[in-house]
Amino acid sequence: MKSLGNIRRSFTPWADPQSKPYISFKNVTKKFGDFTAVDDLTLNIYHREFFALLGASGCGKSTLLRMLAGFERPTSGEIILDGQDIAGIPPYKRPVNMMFQSYALFPHMTVERNIAFGLRQDGMPKAQISERVAQMLKLVKLEQFAQRKPQQLSGGQRQRVALARSLAKRPKVLLLDEPLGALDKKLREETQFELMDLQQQLGLTFVVVTHDQEEAMTMADRIAVMSHGKVVQVATPAEIYEAPNSRFVADFIGDVNILEGKVKSADNGRVEIASDDFTVRTLSDARQSAGSSAAFAIRPEKLRISRTAPADPSVNASQGEIWDIGYLGDMTVLHVRLPSGKVVKTSMLNAQREVENPIGYDEKVWVSFAETAGVVLRD
Amino acid sequence: MTKLGSAIFRRLVIIVPYAWLLFFFLIPFVIVFRISLSTTAIAQPPYVPVFSLADGLAGTMEKIRQLSFDNFTWLAEDALYYTAYLSSLKIATVSTLLTLLIAYPIAYGMAQAPRTLRPTLLMLVILPFWTSFLIRVYSWIAILKPEGLLNQFLLAIGVIHEPLIILNTNWAIYIGIVYSYLPFMVLPIYSALEKMDHSLIEAAQDLGCPPITAFWKVTFPLSVPGVIAGCMLVFIPAVGEFVIPDLLGGSQTLMIGKTLWTEFNSNRDWPVSAAVATVLLLILVVPIVFFQNIQAKADEQGK
Ligand SMILES: Nc1ncnc2c1ncn2[C@@H]1O[C@H](COP(=O)(O)OP(=O)(O)OP(=O)(O)O)[C@@H](O)[C@H]1O
Ligand SMILES: [Mg+2]
């Protein structure tokens, strides 16, 4: 899992109590009839942040963006943009541009005219418009399609036109609803980095909706995981991945093994959980009482596989049997069946795998992990 | 077997419209055109020459030589026809524009109405067709005449003190045409507007257009095909309209449909009325074909 989003700069305004959020959702609820699409949601987004919304289909991501763009009115709650309540401001006066999930390209205009639409509306001088349009066309690699109409483009090309059109005005806040979903992997990765560069250079605030967690991890400063109209966790990609706060987030982002059990003892941040195959010894600041049930989440790559028992007896370890092997090129996924019958997923980079004598099917192995390798889930 | 069957079926499907045009347009047109080249006569039918299979080759050639364009020269020389054509075109143009002005907001409102209400609205637009066209035009006489409903109403509420003279003027014709042809304008515009994706308007607003600008830059251009179809459906029959000018118009109103009727029924001059009809057809068909050619070229260029 790449997480370049974090190493590219040190940018953590959310950790600073002095800094003021640029966009604030305050107890925002949106109902369609008696269906609640966004449910009492509170969220802060900071100036120049690259913010990603992640969540299953229908959880209210587009609705959230549409409220920010001004196409839906919150049923209750308020949205603050740059210190101002935007409830009364119509969409065409908001310093916000949106890339629509359905692209919404103007079918009667060429690609070029589509991209220039907002600039012409603002009365930008002609020469400047054509310069900006050319720049946008270059960004989305559609230079030779400038004179085509949208219906003469492929799905991915249309998506790029929509992206270019929303970027052209360089709004203070750019809302991107699934901006790269229709692109192939290579083009998508290239565009991801170009978007990040652009956002950095122009100092814009991006709010991006995506289904693709890897994309969110790559691009975003912070990710909000949404479920049924609520934000479940907002954190940096690394935190979301390493320390999911709930079973939902752990499950939603990446692969995870969840070990269920009962708390045996808990004191001073040290917790012992008795699960079927392991006695999990780990650290947790969540208050657990002995006897309550608990779930421990651990990522596949944090599980170690060895032929011999780990030397250190304090390490969490269990015996098991190789159940399935999946070769993925850069890494190998091993499914290990534990004595209780539970199958855990582990993965290891092929660079580390013993090529001479790789672990094979049905082999007896030890599965172990360090104290700090996983987290105790809160719910 | 099925492949052959479907190939034949496809041919048949293409043949149907052509066969229709051949039998109900081209052949009648050839007959009318041929009559327009004849000379009037007191006979049955009232023109010469009349072709017959018994003529033989030489006889047919002789009769063909008798055909002439004299009737067309006649049309060109007599200012009556010329003014009648012009006045028909003018009345049709004005009433088409009036119809468009009224129909567009109706169609727009229908397309904006809640989805569940739209079939009902559509039904209401089509509803007048359930009564005879003639009856509907007649009832306008009762409304528009000096002692009619409209004048009574306006006098009663005190807007006017003298009855308005509307009946037997061009205004009555405009009202009649607009009323009668409104559905033909509303329906194509509605269907163009209804197809339109609402997110396009949102996109335009998002990019800085106030609603009115968004309408002119996005909604209206996208409804142009519907507007053109509606205008043709109104303009073409309006040019040749006979019933409405005859019932609602005055004696001084000159329209080509009325002229044709007089030539045909009162003067029993079939060749001249055939020539009038032929010229009318040319006036209508040539601009349409020309326009469609441009349209097709524009589509081609886009590709
Ligand atoms: N105009 C509307 N009327 C009624 N229900 C709506 C409307 N718009 C959205 N919804 C409902 O609100 C919920 C959230 O919709 P939304 O479009 O925000 O989902 P999403 O998270 O963007 O999903 P996806 O990832 O599939 O785009 C959905 O269940 C949807 O059916
Ligand atoms: Mg969506």
Side-chain angles (χ1 to χ4, degrees), chain A residues 32-33 35-38 55-64 66 72 101 177-178 209 211:
Chain A
F32 294 109
F35 177 79
T36 309
V38 172
S57 185
C59 70
K61 306 179 297 289
S62 296
T63 307
L64 200 64
R66 290 172 56 78
E72 307 283 1
Q101 195 170 12
D177 202 342
E178 298 272 354
V209 165
H211 271 124

Side-chain angles (χ1 to χ4, degrees), chain A residues 260-272:
Chain A
E260 315 263 359
K262 287 235 170 339
V263 177
K264 247 166 84 176
S265 68
D267 64 325
N268 258 343
R270 300 193 63 84
V271 185
E272 230 179 78

Side-chain angles (χ1 to χ4, degrees), chain A residues 241 255 257 299-307 322 324-336 344-355 357-360 363 365-368:
Chain A
Y241 189 77
D255 277 322
N257 298 298
R299 301 284 178 194
E301 70 276 12
K302 298 279 174 72
L303 287 175
R304 284 192 302 256
I305 302 277
S306 55
R307 286 202 170 93
I322 298 292
D324 203 357
I325 301 177
Y327 178 73
L328 300 183
D330 56 344
M331 61 179 189
T332 300
V333 173
L334 300 166
H335 289 236
V336 182
V344 290
K345 192 172 174 181
T346 75
S347 66
M348 77 171 75
L349 290 175
N350 284 338
Q352 294 164 1
R353 201 166 161 230
E354 295 161 67
V355 187
N357 181 16
I359 292 172
E363 215 172 301
V365 290
W366 282 88
V367 180
S368 61

Side-chain angles (χ1 to χ4, degrees), chain B:
Chain B
M1 206 44 211
T2 44
K3 221 175 180 180
L4 184 67
S6 83
I8 292 175
F9 180 73
R10 227 176 303 146
R11 284 280 159 79
L12 278 178
V13 165
I14 299 173
I15 284 173
V16 170
Y18 282 105
W20 179 274
L21 282 176
L22 179 71
F23 285 113
F24 297 105
F25 183 77
L26 194 60
I27 293 179
F29 175 71
V30 168
I31 294 172
V32 169
F33 183 60
R34 170 221 158 320
I35 295 176
S36 75
L37 301 177
S38 324
T39 325
T40 167
I42 301 174
Q44 187 66 267
Y47 54 86
V48 287
V50 178
F51 290 95
S52 131
L53 283 177
D55 292 341
L57 189 63
T60 309
M61 287 308 285
E62 175 56 29
K63 284 186 174 172
I64 287 179
R65 225 162 282 136
Q66 287 176 27
L67 296 175
S68 77
F69 282 92
D70 286 352
N71 293 317
F72 290 94
T73 331
W74 165 254
L75 290 190
E77 280 166 0
D78 191 335
L80 169 82
Y81 299 103
Y82 170 75
T83 27
Y85 279 120
L86 273 190
S87 136
S88 293
L89 288 176
K90 193 199 107 196
I91 288 177
T93 308
V94 172
S95 18
T96 304
L97 290 179
L98 289 175
T99 315
L100 178 61
L101 282 182
I102 296 170
Y104 201 102
I106 295 178
Y108 188 81
M110 283 168 64
Q112 300 293 314
R115 213 162 273 281
T116 46
L117 208 63
R118 289 183 203 168
T120 317
L121 293 174
L122 212 55
M123 193 62 214
L124 289 175
V125 169
I126 305 169
L127 204 62
F129 288 125
W130 292 55
T131 346
S132 148
F133 173 64
L134 215 52
I135 291 177
R136 283 183 286 135
V137 178
Y138 263 114
S139 44
W140 274 105
I141 298 180
I143 297 171
L144 298 177
K145 63 186 174 185
E147 65 280 17
L149 289 173
L150 181 68
N151 276 317
Q152 281 179 21
F153 175 72
L154 292 178
L155 285 170
I157 61 170
V159 178
I160 52 170
H161 301 289
E162 298 263 304
L164 294 173
I165 304 299
I166 302 175
L167 195 63
N168 302 331
T169 66
N170 278 0
W171 280 108
I173 299 181
Y174 294 144
I175 291 174
I177 294 181
V178 168
Y179 167 76
S180 306
Y181 290 101
L182 195 67
F184 294 108
M185 187 70 93
V186 171
L187 295 179
I189 298 178
Y190 166 74
S191 106
L193 287 173
E194 202 242 7
K195 271 199 310 243
M196 211 181 75
D197 182 0
H198 182 68
S199 65
L200 294 180
I201 304 301
E202 289 182 344
Q205 295 202 8
D206 188 66
L207 294 166
C209 283
I212 300 203
T213 321
F215 173 83
W216 285 114
K217 286 195 165 178
V218 178
T219 313
F220 187 75
L222 287 175
S223 67
V224 161
V227 169
I228 289 173
C231 286
M232 292 215 177
L233 286 176
V234 174
F235 182 77
I236 293 168
V239 173
E241 182 56 54
F242 163 71
V243 175
I244 294 171
D246 193 52
L247 294 181
L248 303 178
S251 52
Q252 82 289 2
T253 309
L254 215 50
M255 274 189 84
I256 203 66
K258 253 175 98 176
T259 313
L260 203 139
W261 168 269
T262 320
E263 290 297 349
F264 192 80
N265 282 314
S266 314
N267 302 351
R268 272 185 79 74
D269 193 340
W270 286 27
V272 166
S273 44
V276 169
T278 307
V279 171
L280 180 59
L281 191 78
L282 289 181
I283 291 176
L284 293 179
V285 165
V286 170
I288 293 171
V289 171
F290 179 70
F291 176 79
Q292 291 202 324
N293 250 352
I294 292 180
Q295 186 91 335
K297 275 207 190 104
D299 283 354
E300 197 67 18
Q301 245 163 25
K303 264 154 215 171

Side-chain angles (χ1 to χ4, degrees), chain A residues 39-285:
Chain A
D39 191 3
D40 193 28
L41 179 141
T42 298
L43 184 65
N44 290 327
I45 298 169
Y46 291 85
H47 189 45
R48 314 188 75 162
E49 184 171 6
F50 201 127
F51 194 87
L53 289 170
L54 207 54
S57 185
C59 70
K61 306 179 297 289
S62 296
T63 307
L64 200 64
L65 291 199
R66 290 172 56 78
M67 286 194 285
L68 197 48
F71 303 122
E72 307 283 1
R73 267 173 179 276
T75 312
S76 65
E78 57 182 7
I79 304 172
I80 311 285
L81 174 66
D82 202 5
Q84 195 185 3
D85 186 345
I86 54 173
I89 304 178
Y92 54 92
K93 286 196 184 141
R94 296 190 182 189
V96 170
N97 277 168
M98 172 149 163
M99 175 189 162
F100 289 74
Q101 195 170 12
S102 62
Y103 313 154
L105 298 177
F106 304 123
H108 57 301
M109 296 181 193
T110 60
V111 167
E112 197 171 40
R113 289 291 293 266
N114 262 287
I115 298 175
F117 190 91
L119 305 173
R120 292 163 65 107
Q121 184 58 31
D122 285 357
M124 190 190 253
K126 280 243 157 58
Q128 229 172 315
I129 291 182
S130 50
E131 189 188 331
R132 181 75 63 83
V133 169
Q135 187 190 350
M136 288 297 131
L137 284 169
K138 185 151 174 278
L139 173 74
V140 295
K141 304 194 174 54
L142 286 175
E143 293 102 321
Q144 67 273 48
F145 297 99
Q147 296 311 324
R148 295 235 195 147
K149 294 271 180 71
Q151 57 273 31
Q152 298 158 341
L153 298 175
S154 75
Q157 289 166 341
R158 281 180 213 176
Q159 191 167 41
R160 276 136 71 196
V161 178
L163 180 62
R165 186 179 67 180
S166 63
L167 277 166
K169 278 182 81 172
R170 296 181 178 166
K172 287 196 212 153
V173 179
L174 189 61
L175 311 176
L176 303 169
D177 202 342
E178 298 272 354
L180 311 174
L183 307 187
D184 59 70
K185 195 166 161 41
K186 189 159 166 285
L187 189 56
R188 183 158 71 215
E189 283 175 1
E190 275 173 36
T191 318
Q192 281 169 8
F193 286 105
E194 272 161 20
L195 274 181
M196 286 155 62
D197 275 353
L198 202 75
Q199 188 250 355
Q200 283 266 284
Q201 280 168 22
L202 302 177
L204 309 179
T205 306
F206 275 24
V207 184
V208 181
V209 165
T210 168
H211 271 124
D212 180 347
Q213 35 154 314
E214 200 169 323
E215 182 171 296
M217 296 258 184
T218 307
M219 298 197 291
D221 293 311
R222 281 190 308 158
I223 297 174
V225 181
M226 285 182 68
S227 165
H228 298 291
K230 283 184 183 297
V231 167
V232 187
Q233 186 171 12
V234 191
T236 61
E239 277 170 333
I240 291 255
Y241 189 77
E242 305 283 344
N245 69 356
S246 63
R247 187 185 300 248
F248 177 83
V249 175
D251 237 353
F252 192 80
I253 308 279
D255 277 322
V256 73
N257 298 298
I258 293 184
L259 306 174
E260 315 263 359
K262 287 235 170 339
V263 177
K264 247 166 84 176
S265 68
D267 64 325
N268 258 343
R270 300 193 63 84
V271 185
E272 230 179 78
I273 301 168
S275 79
D276 287 345
D277 304 291
F278 295 91
T279 299
V280 179
R281 276 174 289 260
T282 185
L283 310 173
S284 168
D285 46 9

